[in-house]
Amino acid sequence: MKLIPLITAILVSLGLYYLVIQRDTLLAFARGEAAQAPIESAATASEQVAQAEVEPGEHRIGVVALHSKAQVFDSAVILRGMTQAVRQVDLRAETSSTVISEPLRKGVQVAKGDVLCKLDPGTRPAALLEAQARLSEARANMPVSEARLDEAYAKLNEAKMNLTASEKLSAGGYTSDTKLAASRAAERAAVAGVASAKGGLETARAGIESAIAAVATARKEIERLTILAPFDGLLESDTAELGSLVLPGDHCATVIQLDTIKVVGFVPETQVNRVILGAPAKAELATGAQVQGKVTFVSRSADQATRTFEVEISVANPDLAIRDGQTANIAISAQGSSAHKLPQSALTLNKNGQLGLRIVRADQTVGFVPVRLLRDEADGVWVAGLPETADVIITGQDYVISGVAVAPSYIEANQ
């Protein structure tokens, strides 16, 4: 009778143990999963061991790399500039008078020597005649001055002869001292007469020169009455109106030459040595038109404000299609070099903020190569600094750093 309570206590204890401690095992046994549990546990343990053996050497990050090969890059110097007329001049009056010519309207084609403005001569022709008369008078006085000089020389010779005779007679006691003194005085007077005649001759010559200058001034003043076109070109402004009074410096017309045009840009000091005289260049205007020419000028001094150098390109413009002042994108040919063309998104920065590309090295790890940006185009960028061939990471480069093992998927550059 005492065994029954003991057995009951043992059974109750076992029941509580399985209900509380081994509840999950009991439920699994009730579902029929008890036999599989050891097998699965063993399989899980085997996988963990296997994974522990694989992960340390084989865990790699997937990236996409591009097989890139260097190409010959026409490293043109790219500038932004504007067109300028090869010649442009503002013609202004040099004298005061009234305009007596009919005005020409802007846009008219003019040839070298065409009359643009003609001014009223006024009394200028009379002033020229007066100057010419004075010149004739001065020239007429020239022979008189020359004759006076010859007469003075003759008197001087006579005085010298008389003085010599008087000195000889005085030495022999045949003439008085008074006569000798008079001969000496006459000789000195003859010398003074020669000097005076020479001065008169120089005055006559100066009068001629002055009269010639007066004639030239009067003629120049008359020439200033007619303002001519200095070269073939177009009128950029109307000429002075008929009847208007112009003073020295007043505007007559503006003439512009466009059959040859300049495209002017400014090159940075870092690239100025790549621009040489005679180098071919092309420019794309704001209208979309493209023109070609050659470099005709490279400044030797930098702009003090921008530290850039002026460059001029001469372009033929026979049909006058290119206008003065149009903006243009300029490309000047320079010596070619090897470069890679890659998607712009492939560029990245290292921890020091340096621009470059991440590549896949031979041991399937990541490397960083600093590059220099040469040109930005719509379908990619040209960079320098990579080796001849390189596997450039173009997808996932921002999630890896140098030395990280990767599992790259490769694509060709033409894909």
Side-chain angles (χ1 to χ4, degrees):
M1 296 297 291
K2 293 183 179 180
L3 293 176
I4 295 175
L6 181 60
I7 295 172
T8 303
I10 293 173
L11 292 175
V12 171
S13 298
L14 290 174
L16 292 174
Y17 173 77
Y18 279 102
L19 286 175
V20 178
I21 306 301
Q22 297 293 335
R23 183 173 178 274
D24 293 337
T25 305
L26 182 61
L27 292 176
F29 176 77
R31 292 194 298 266
E33 298 177 356
Q36 298 178 3
I39 300 175
E40 292 181 355
S41 299
T44 303
S46 300
E47 291 175 358
Q48 292 175 351
V49 172
Q51 185 175 2
E53 295 175 354
V54 172
E55 283 187 353
E58 298 297 332
H59 181 67
R60 296 177 178 272
I61 299 175
V63 294
V64 178
L66 176 70
H67 286 300
S68 179
K69 186 176 182 180
Q71 306 175 46
V72 176
F73 172 67
D74 180 15
S75 53
V77 178
I78 306 299
L79 309 175
R80 188 164 179 83
M82 63 181 295
T83 59
Q84 288 185 6
V86 66
R87 285 197 288 184
Q88 179 173 337
V89 62
D90 291 328
L91 299 172
R92 301 182 180 275
E94 297 181 80
T95 188
S96 302
S97 191
T98 304
V99 179
I100 59 175
S101 60
E102 291 290 336
L104 300 176
R105 300 305 176 190
K106 55 187 174 183
V108 174
Q109 183 79 34
V110 295
K112 181 179 180 180
D114 286 353
V115 177
L116 302 181
C117 296
K118 190 172 181 61
L119 307 181
D120 183 12
T123 60
R124 291 175 179 83
L128 175 61
L129 293 176
E130 182 182 0
Q132 289 174 336
R134 289 179 178 176
L135 175 60
S136 299
E137 181 182 359
R139 286 174 173 169
N141 291 332
M142 190 67 179
V144 176
S145 298
E146 291 175 344
R148 287 176 180 172
L149 180 60
D150 291 341
E151 181 182 2
Y153 273 120
K155 288 182 178 180
L156 177 60
N157 291 332
E158 181 182 1
K160 287 181 177 181
M161 292 174 63
N162 292 334
L163 177 60
T164 301
S166 297
E167 288 175 345
K168 289 181 178 181
L169 291 173
S170 178
Y174 298 106
T175 186
S176 64
D177 293 338
T178 304
K179 181 80 177 210
L180 178 60
S183 297
R184 288 174 176 170
E187 191 266 344
R188 288 194 293 270
V191 171
V194 170
S196 177
K198 286 182 178 180
L201 181 61
E202 292 299 325
T203 301
R205 288 173 177 170
I208 293 175
E209 295 296 330
S210 176
I212 290 174
V215 171
T217 300
R219 286 176 177 170
K220 186 63 177 179
E221 187 68 14
I222 292 176
E223 290 178 4
R224 290 170 176 166
L225 298 173
T226 304
I227 302 176
L228 306 177
F231 48 80
D232 297 346
L234 291 171
L235 280 180
E236 192 67 11
S237 66
D238 294 341
T239 60
E241 188 62 50
L242 174 66
S244 60
L245 175 65
V246 294
L247 302 175
D250 286 353
H251 185 265
C252 167
T254 299
V255 182
I256 188 171
Q257 183 179 353
L258 293 175
D259 54 357
T260 299
I261 203 159
K262 298 183 295 184
V263 185
V264 181
F266 292 86
V267 60
E269 57 184 336
T270 56
Q271 299 190 57
V272 67
N273 289 337
R274 299 176 59 207
V275 180
I276 60 175
L277 290 175
K282 63 180 180 180
E284 183 177 357
L285 307 181
T287 59
Q290 294 188 352
V291 295
Q292 295 184 347
K294 291 185 177 181
V295 176
T296 54
F297 173 76
V298 181
S299 175
R300 289 289 178 178
S301 61
D303 183 272
Q304 295 299 317
T306 62
R307 307 306 302 168
T308 57
F309 295 81
E310 183 179 1
V311 176
E312 291 183 2
I313 301 165
S314 294
V315 176
N317 187 33
D319 56 355
L320 308 184
I322 307 174
R323 303 173 184 272
D324 179 43
Q326 289 183 273
T327 57
N329 292 320
I330 307 168
I332 304 173
S333 296
Q335 186 176 2
S337 60
S338 294
H340 291 255
K341 188 175 185 180
L342 299 164
Q344 188 174 13
S345 59
L347 295 172
T348 187
L349 300 174
N350 64 4
K351 62 180 180 181
N352 297 322
Q354 190 174 19
L355 181 67
L357 295 164
R358 289 194 169 93
I359 63 171
V360 178
R361 295 186 290 206
D363 59 355
Q364 300 293 288
T365 59
V366 177
F368 181 83
V369 180
V371 296
R372 179 167 51 92
L373 187 62
L374 299 178
R375 187 187 301 169
D376 187 358
E377 297 181 350
D379 56 346
V381 292
W382 288 91
V383 297
L386 288 173
E388 188 69 18
T389 58
D391 295 330
V392 181
I393 301 175
I394 61 174
T395 301
Q397 69 276 12
D398 292 326
Y399 302 100
V400 293
I401 60 174
S402 296
V404 172
V406 291
S409 299
Y410 294 101
I411 61 174
E412 298 296 332
N414 57 1
Q415 294 183 3

